[in-house]
Amino acid sequence: MEAKRIEIKGVVQGVGFRPFVYSTAYNNNIKGWVLNNSQGVFIHAEGSKGNLDAFIFALFNNPPRSSIIKEKVILEEKVEGYQEFTIVESQGGGEQEALISPDLAMCPKCYEDVTKGENRRNKYPFTNCTNCGPRFTIIKEVPYDRPKTTMAGFPMCSICKEEYHNPLDRRFHAQPNACPECGPQIKLCDAEGKPVFGVTVAELLLNGHILAVKGLGGYHLVCDAKNIQAVDRMRQSKKREAKPFAVMAKDMEVVKKYCKLTSREIELLDSPQAPIVILPCKSHNLPSSLAPGVETLGVMLPYTPLHLLLFSEELELLVMTSGNISSNPLIYQDATALLELHDSAEYYLLHNREIYNRCDDSVVRVINGQTQIYRRARGYVPLPVEIPEQISVFACGGDLKSTFCLTKGTKAFLSQHMGDLDNYKNFQEYILTAERMQDYLSINPQAVVVDLHPEYNSHKWGCEWKKPIIQVQHHHAHLASCLADNGVTEKALGVICDGTGYGTDGKIWGMEFLLGDFSGFERLAHLEYTPLPGGEAAVKEPLRMAVSYLYQYLGQADVWQAIENLQNLKKEEMVIIMQQIEADINCPLTSSCGRLFDAVSALLGICTKANYEGQAAIEMEELADSSFRGKGYGFELEQRESLPIQISTARMWQELLADISQGIRREQIAAKFHLTVAEMIVATCQALEKLLPSRKVALSGGVMQNKLLIEILVPMLKEKGFEPLLHNQVPANDGGLSLGQAIIGGRLANVCSSSSKGA
Ligand code: ZN
Ligand code: ZN
Ligand code: FE
């Protein structure tokens, strides 16, 4: 007999780890115990050498699919002579229970249960086990126990109870365990809420109807993705002109039919997080209105049995767009759904399990072989990001694609994607969620961190807390977020290519080269300022920036000539914008990188008015000929008396106009522009070389989600000996801002308190 002590750290709670250890011990004739506390899972294992080896092998080779083992320690122990293997009740009370698991997509075994005839859970939409099922979206209070979830109203039947109490069953301690006898039920209704019988959901969808489907973290509006009329009607009723719809495919084979896939992307689609993955389309005959102007499709697989059961033999691809109207929050309550989705949905597929926490589908894309999170929500939230400092703050995030961040020790808990806070309902949800998260985590933050922008709702709200308030510059937060995402604590250069952020000089920053760390930053270079005609209105009308750039760099005489020549654009509109700039009416200055992309996109006639954020840049990226090789347009790095260096695009505009007048294809011009931006970044990094303490370059900001740009830029930086850092746990866009804010805020709050003590 021998004994071992095994310590496992990582994501090992709420993912069925203890029952897994138990059954593995049972199968290998191991005695002893397993317990978990705030540190992780601890095992005392006794048995013959052969059995112990087999036990340890099985433990680390086939752990539960949602667990992530980050650290393992195996030590020799004294043999105690245990007669059995037991699961020791959790130690330490509240502390470890505070970790709430995200919702996990249906596991392969539950898939079998739902699809196989001989099974009491056949076709049961709420089937789950310790490896899968709802978590975050049903939890009202911690610790995570059935009575504290929205499953409280469904007492388990005797068979379910047996499963729940049997350590060898894969439903052992599965809090939402349910079956058709005792669990939630679905109901099909018409638009008035009256029950509908004698027709299946698939039949309704195949007949072109739009359904509102209550899912895991909210409602979806659903229709047959191959039915052109249905997709068009969906667009009209959702008041969504151009933004691509996400789709759900019946299975992986269907995804392969319509999209090109790498093994990494297959893995993501199939993962317990089951996000929407943005994939390149094969040429297909799907309705163009699914994703106008782009050749990619956001695809996910059915992540609950309920979603799986929507499909049929003939029905293989569904539009699955969030159940909301225009930019309002995702609807997750029945009463709101019946009221607000009334004009869109002809039928409702409802169920009687309450959704307590709203949670959107997450969106990811593989760029350069690395996963980039565009929207972090279902499947990822509320798992924390490990941070290098022990801090206690509430970071409010920004107002666009908002998330907030609460920290506890070295764990940073980012909220799910909350949407844009200029929408009142989103803002209300944000405040509600902020309160809940503090309760869940039992955190009373010591300081509050806000973006510098005085007009942000998050800023104003954050400043009302009776706590020390720390203001953080937007792009500094992006830099810190990228550093933390990569576990880097030393000073590094941040290349932040972004839409909008309030600068320390009151101007609108956006393409910034900041040398900094969590304590501070220095602005070493930026894109030369250009007027932003109409302020924020320019974001919705890329044409404004095109005119602004031409006006800035061509001089008065030439700009009129240039406008004459641009036959594909509306001259009258351009003249009005020009007058506005000349009179300097509401024209703040900006160094925004997003607006530079907008300007080129508009000039090429790709997108002059944007229906959704980033449309002009996204459509230009899609159009660009990625096979283009050559040189980019010219630009100048201008260093006046002192830093920062200013990047002038004067030459680029002249060469670009010349290309247009020579009839060069837009695809080529768009590609050449992407190359120019990459060359601009590399040249600036090189110009700053002597000032840099390391070769690390943190790439962040919304523009750094541009696949084409990243794929050109990263190899170029590496070739010049730089070490580019990309995001991967949190978004490069403003959804990742709160992480950076939190760490900077934590650092500054500590500095403040220690210096005041010293004084
Ligand atoms: Zn399962
Ligand atoms: Zn049951
Ligand atoms: Fe930003």
Side-chain angles (χ1 to χ4, degrees):
M1 287 294 259
E2 289 181 19
K4 301 266 191 223
R5 178 184 172 80
I6 303 164
E7 302 178 4
I8 305 170
K9 292 179 186 176
V11 182
V12 287
Q13 280 155 347
V15 291
F17 212 91
R18 281 181 307 160
F20 159 72
V21 173
Y22 182 93
S23 57
T24 310
Y26 184 88
N27 293 334
N28 290 290
N29 201 20
I30 296 295
K31 315 293 178 202
W33 47 258
V34 54
L35 69 81
N36 61 2
N37 64 22
S38 59
Q39 306 297 308
V41 168
F42 296 83
I43 303 165
H44 177 94
E46 298 185 359
S48 70
K49 185 177 185 316
N51 283 345
L52 272 173
D53 287 348
F55 171 67
I56 291 167
F57 181 83
L59 222 46
F60 295 111
N61 272 278
N62 191 23
R65 66 200 281 263
S66 311
S67 64
I68 301 167
I69 297 175
K70 286 189 178 153
E71 256 182 79
K72 57 178 179 186
V73 179
I74 303 171
L75 302 165
E76 295 297 328
E77 268 283 30
K78 258 205 348 255
V79 178
E80 304 277 354
Y82 286 100
Q83 294 305 304
E84 52 181 5
F85 194 87
T86 51
I87 296 179
V88 180
E89 281 309 308
S90 300
Q91 281 190 335
E95 186 73 10
Q96 87 281 0
E97 318 271 12
L99 275 187
I100 297 173
S101 164
D103 301 277
L104 305 170
M106 173 176 47
C107 75
K109 283 180 180 159
C110 286
Y111 177 90
E112 293 262 298
D113 286 351
V114 176
T115 51
K116 275 215 178 120
E118 298 296 303
N119 189 300
R120 69 194 191 97
R121 289 193 173 84
N122 184 18
K123 293 202 169 65
Y124 181 58
F126 303 93
T127 302
N128 66 82
C129 72
T130 43
N131 281 318
C132 75
R135 301 282 188 276
F136 175 58
T137 53
I138 61 166
I139 295 176
K140 290 179 153 178
E141 274 175 69
V142 287
Y144 172 51
D145 264 327
R146 189 176 179 106
K148 292 180 174 169
T149 70
T150 62
M151 284 297 291
F154 303 95
M156 273 185 272
C157 68
S158 58
I159 307 177
C160 284
K161 233 182 228 164
E162 245 172 68
E163 295 167 338
Y164 182 89
H165 290 294
N166 176 5
L168 287 177
D169 194 282
R170 69 184 168 87
R171 297 196 163 92
F172 174 68
H173 281 196
Q175 303 303 341
N177 187 25
C179 76
E181 278 301 306
C182 64
Q185 302 293 337
I186 50 171
K187 185 167 92 175
L188 183 60
C189 297
D190 65 14
E192 313 310 320
K194 280 202 250 48
V196 173
F197 301 102
V199 61
T200 68
V201 170
E203 282 164 358
L204 290 172
L205 290 167
L206 278 169
N207 281 327
H209 290 293
I210 295 174
L211 267 75
V213 175
K214 184 180 179 185
L216 195 57
Y219 275 75
H220 282 114
L221 284 168
V222 182
C223 73
D224 180 0
K226 289 155 86 177
N227 184 321
I228 297 173
Q229 287 85 8
V231 177
D232 288 350
R233 270 201 348 274
M234 181 87 94
R235 277 218 179 274
Q236 285 157 15
S237 71
K238 248 188 87 107
K239 301 189 178 69
R240 177 152 149 174
E241 273 176 59
K243 194 175 179 185
F245 282 143
V247 298
M248 185 180 273
K250 186 160 78 174
D251 52 36
M252 196 67 80
E253 290 316 303
V254 175
V255 184
K256 286 179 182 161
K257 193 161 138 189
Y258 295 105
C259 298
K260 293 175 212 143
L261 276 169
T262 63
S263 57
R264 180 79 198 102
E265 286 158 342
I266 292 176
E267 221 173 87
L268 281 164
L269 284 166
D270 232 354
S271 68
Q273 289 76 31
I276 295 172
V277 184
I278 299 176
L279 297 169
C281 291
K282 288 180 180 168
S283 57
H284 58 65
N285 45 8
L286 292 173
S288 63
S289 51
L290 269 184
V294 297
E295 273 156 50
T296 51
L297 209 50
V299 189
M300 58 184 152
L301 289 174
Y303 52 85
T304 73
L306 185 145
H307 292 114
L308 181 69
L309 296 168
L310 298 174
F311 294 89
S312 72
E313 198 62 44
E314 308 90 84
L315 198 59
E316 59 174 17
L317 198 65
L318 295 172
V319 168
M320 257 298 152
T321 181
S322 35
N324 59 359
I325 302 302
S326 73
S327 59
N328 283 326
L330 173 71
I331 293 170
Y332 64 103
Q333 283 154 328
D334 300 341
T336 325
L338 285 163
L339 202 69
E340 292 187 16
L341 298 178
H342 194 270
D343 293 335
S344 303
E346 290 144 353
Y347 293 92
Y348 286 81
L349 184 64
L350 304 170
H351 62 72
N352 56 349
R353 187 182 70 206
E354 185 196 344
I355 299 170
Y356 192 70
N357 288 310
R358 149 199 168 191
C359 204
D360 289 73
D361 294 316
S362 295
V363 182
V364 307
R365 187 173 194 181
V366 177
I367 299 179
N368 238 0
Q370 200 176 320
T371 309
Q372 300 279 311
I373 299 190
Y374 281 21
R375 188 207 278 159
R376 189 174 181 274
R378 177 181 53 77
Y380 298 95
V381 173
L383 276 186
V385 175
E386 278 298 323
I387 51 172
E389 331 233 316
Q390 293 243 9
I391 48 175
S392 166
V393 299
F394 183 98
C396 296
D399 267 19
L400 297 176
K401 298 185 164 67
S402 192
T403 65
F404 58 79
C405 176
L406 265 166
T407 63
K408 188 174 194 177
T410 58
K411 290 184 164 56
F413 296 87
L414 273 78
S415 73
Q416 67 271 42
H417 163 87
M418 303 302 308
D420 297 348
L421 302 187
D422 53 1
N423 176 301
Y424 180 73
K425 287 182 180 169
N426 274 330
F427 190 41
Q428 293 304 104
E429 279 288 327
Y430 168 98
I431 295 169
L432 173 80
T433 311
E435 282 162 11
R436 273 187 191 170
M437 288 288 252
Q438 288 174 76
D439 285 346
Y440 286 153
L441 300 164
S442 56
I443 297 178
N444 184 11
Q446 284 166 15
V448 177
V449 196
V450 297
D451 189 279
L452 208 53
H453 201 315
E455 292 308 315
Y456 272 180
N457 283 321
S458 57
H459 173 103
K460 292 179 191 162
W461 178 77
C463 288
E464 284 168 16
W465 289 49
K466 303 272 175 285
K467 306 222 181 225
I469 311 288
I470 291 131
Q471 304 197 26
V472 174
Q473 199 279 323
H474 190 94
H475 303 100
H476 184 206
H478 273 301
L479 164 62
S481 176
C482 188
L483 293 177
D485 202 339
N486 286 280
V488 172
T489 52
E490 76 250 34
K491 212 182 237 191
L493 181 68
V495 177
I496 317 301
C497 292
D498 201 25
T500 302
Y502 194 82
T504 52
D505 56 1
K507 299 191 169 77
I508 301 168
W509 293 11
M511 185 170 181
E512 309 300 322
F513 294 73
L514 309 180
L515 176 61
D517 56 17
F518 303 139
S519 303
F521 74 95
E522 204 185 333
R523 192 186 194 198
L524 300 185
H526 65 87
L527 187 67
E528 192 168 50
Y529 285 131
T530 310
L532 184 67
E536 281 302 299
V539 177
K540 296 211 167 80
E541 283 181 49
L543 187 64
R544 289 177 189 242
M545 277 317 285
V547 176
S548 177
Y549 267 109
L550 295 183
Y551 186 83
Q552 163 133 326
Y553 287 128
L554 295 188
Q556 232 158 349
D558 291 349
V559 72
W560 290 110
Q561 190 54 51
I563 286 180
E564 280 302 323
N565 293 345
L566 289 164
Q567 283 143 357
N568 58 341
L569 300 179
K570 289 204 181 96
K571 213 171 95 184
E572 317 80 69
E573 282 180 28
M574 297 180 82
V575 170
I576 295 170
I577 300 167
M578 187 94 84
Q579 287 162 345
Q580 184 178 10
I581 301 169
E582 271 182 330
D584 193 16
I585 303 165
N586 188 18
C587 287
L589 291 176
T590 186
S591 57
S592 167
C593 189
R595 299 296 84 75
L596 180 69
F597 275 75
D598 283 356
V600 176
S601 179
L603 202 67
L604 294 177
I606 297 168
C607 176
T608 54
K609 280 203 170 56
N611 291 120
Y612 61 92
E613 210 220 334
Q615 183 183 355
I618 289 169
E619 293 189 357
M620 178 162 63
E621 182 197 342
E622 294 277 343
L623 187 79
D625 175 4
S626 55
S627 64
F628 172 78
R629 296 288 173 275
K631 244 190 87 54
Y633 295 111
F635 56 87
E636 238 79 54
L637 304 184
E638 292 171 2
Q639 187 168 354
R640 290 154 199 173
E641 298 90 65
S642 60
L643 289 169
I645 290 173
Q646 313 217 2
I647 305 165
S648 159
T649 52
R651 263 170 58 204
M652 180 187 92
W653 291 102
Q654 290 175 354
E655 293 171 19
L656 205 148
L657 283 172
D659 272 2
I660 293 177
S661 62
Q662 278 170 35
I664 307 276
R665 286 161 54 240
R666 297 196 302 182
E667 288 79 355
Q668 187 175 327
I669 298 176
K672 211 165 152 182
F673 167 69
H674 280 81
L675 184 60
T676 311
V677 175
E679 286 176 347
M680 230 185 261
I681 292 170
V682 176
T684 311
C685 289
Q686 286 185 292
L688 298 170
E689 222 155 25
K690 286 197 206 79
L691 301 169
L692 305 180
S694 82
R695 306 298 293 178
K696 290 192 169 74
V697 176
L699 306 178
S700 191
V703 179
M704 288 302 183
Q705 295 190 318
N706 182 312
K707 185 170 191 275
L708 179 61
L709 177 66
I710 292 292
E711 288 179 347
I712 299 172
L713 175 62
V714 165
M716 275 170 75
L717 280 170
K718 284 185 178 161
E719 207 208 342
K720 299 291 177 203
F722 291 103
E723 190 191 323
L725 305 174
L726 292 165
H727 280 275
N728 68 67
Q729 303 176 77
V730 301
N733 64 36
D734 286 6
L737 208 60
S738 60
L739 175 65
Q741 288 179 343
I743 304 176
I744 296 168
R747 190 60 86 80
L748 297 185
N750 279 340
V751 167
C752 293
S753 59
S754 65
S755 66
S756 64
K757 262 181 240 151

